[in-house]
Amino acid sequence: MSMASHDDIIILVSKGLFEEAVNLASEMGDPLEQADSFIDIALGAKGSHPELVQDLLAKALKLSKKVKDPQDKVYLKSRLAYAHAVLGNPELASELFDSAAEEIAKIKSDGERAVATAVLAYHLALAGFKDEGLDTFNEAFDMAISAEMDYRKKLDIITEIANLLEAAGDELNSSDAVGFYEIAYDIFDKLRISQRAADLEKKVELAKTTYHHGTPEIRSALLEGRYQFAVKTVEKTLKDPQDRFIAILEIAHWMKKMGALEYLEVLEEAFHLLERIGLSDSNVQRAAAILTEMGELERALRFAVDIKDPEKKDEALAAVALKLAERKDFTEARGVAGLISDPMLKARLSEEIARMEERARLEF
């Protein structure tokens, strides 16, 4: 199949022309490419054409029996499993993932087996099996490390595994993406592929900054500096105004890290929204933590004192006090430390602030 014909199918699916896409896919001679296209159409038609979706996935499964190469079988069965997971058939998804894992054992080459294991891990992650995905990626990495082969070939395989780890992270929300990005960063860093390591380091930082509401679409926009698009995406996709408030705070935080002065406008937008809504205790804690990290300490303090859980409140106050001390605002830092209810934490913090003040005095 030419690339153009596959692209044509994707275009037809994006326009909702599923019947035309099926007709085009049915003309393909290669069972792997035909099955792959049927899965693309099924995923595009989910929610609107349930009978067509089930028919296409059944045809793709039948075609998988005609695929001879075990590596191709691993890819196809993993992708089928992912499709069933997305469509709400977890039992069938698990069966297909198990079947894909059985195909891996038939692969003779250590290197190809490691890559196939990473392909399985990638689809597990996308299907929502995050922990299993991470464990399977680690298995793939261990296989590649212990494989007996030419050193250059081994590096190529390890790099391919790292690429799949990054690709999985790119498809996941921030809270899930962090773990995949961190392992990929570690691999590129150890291999001294410095540009890729730097890219991953930035992605880790971004995922941590947008931890609560960073979707792939929002992170992609932020990486490209399309800040207003990211804000508009939040406003369009997040129905809960509390979620929108935290998400806009996260965007402002990233913008400040990137040195974009417009972060102040985005921050004001968040607080304008806050005037019209109330916040749950967990979101009060999140807001206090984000604002503390941003160095917006007066605003952070206002949230910190509103936290109902005494332990969480003390943690938030301690974080604000330390940031004030880092800023050399020692009088204010001691004042905030004085609001802490836990006497041991208050004592430790007071000692730390005193040490920081003494260091500042000696430096001066």
Side-chain angles (χ1 to χ4, degrees), residues 43 77-90 93-94 97 119-133 168 171-172 176 180:
L43 289 168
K77 287 187 175 180
S78 297
R79 188 141 195 262
L80 257 174
Y82 156 72
H84 278 291
V86 167
L87 293 161
N89 308 321
S94 292
F97 276 129
V119 167
L120 172 61
Y122 169 82
H123 287 102
L124 278 165
L126 266 56
F129 302 102
K130 189 195 85 167
D131 293 339
E132 292 89 335
E171 295 288 332
L172 299 169
D176 290 333
F180 294 89

Side-chain angles (χ1 to χ4, degrees), residues 180-237:
F180 294 89
Y181 284 152
E182 284 181 334
I183 301 170
Y185 163 75
D186 201 40
I187 293 170
F188 286 125
D189 188 47
K190 284 189 168 64
L191 294 179
R192 293 195 167 86
I193 304 175
S194 54
Q195 186 53 56
R196 295 298 301 281
D199 291 345
L200 261 301
E201 195 171 21
K202 190 171 183 180
K203 285 185 177 184
V204 169
E205 184 71 13
L206 174 56
K208 286 181 175 177
T209 305
T210 59
Y211 189 82
H212 300 293
H213 299 291
T215 62
E217 187 182 15
I218 288 167
R219 292 203 312 277
S220 174
L222 292 176
L223 277 174
E224 292 166 12
R226 295 183 295 131
Y227 302 127
Q228 281 307 318
F229 178 82
V231 172
K232 286 196 167 38
T233 302
V234 162
E235 290 167 348
K236 194 170 65 185
T237 56

Side-chain angles (χ1 to χ4, degrees), residues 1 3 5-18 21-22 25 28 32-46 48 52-53 56-57 60 75-76 79-80 82-84 86-87 122-123:
M1 169 186 112
M3 281 305 291
S5 58
H6 187 254
D7 288 346
D8 289 343
I9 287 168
I10 298 297
I11 290 165
L12 289 169
V13 169
S14 72
K15 291 179 177 176
L17 301 170
F18 302 119
V22 171
M28 294 173 181
L32 174 64
E33 291 170 342
Q34 190 176 47
D36 212 18
S37 295
F38 282 156
I39 294 167
D40 282 328
I41 301 165
L43 289 168
K46 77 177 192 307
S48 58
L52 174 66
V53 167
L56 287 170
L57 293 183
Y75 165 77
L76 190 52
R79 188 141 195 262
L80 257 174
Y82 156 72
H84 278 291
V86 167
L87 293 161
Y122 169 82
H123 287 102

Side-chain angles (χ1 to χ4, degrees), residues 15 53 73-74 93 127 141 144 148 176 183 194 197 202 219 233 253 265 281 287 302 309 325 327 350 355:
K15 291 179 177 176
V53 167
K73 273 186 180 285
V74 173
F141 186 58
E148 289 183 14
D176 290 333
I183 301 170
S194 54
K202 190 171 183 180
R219 292 203 312 277
T233 302
H253 188 191
E265 292 166 28
D281 203 41
R302 290 212 297 275
D309 181 316
R327 222 161 62 176
S350 297
R355 276 197 296 274

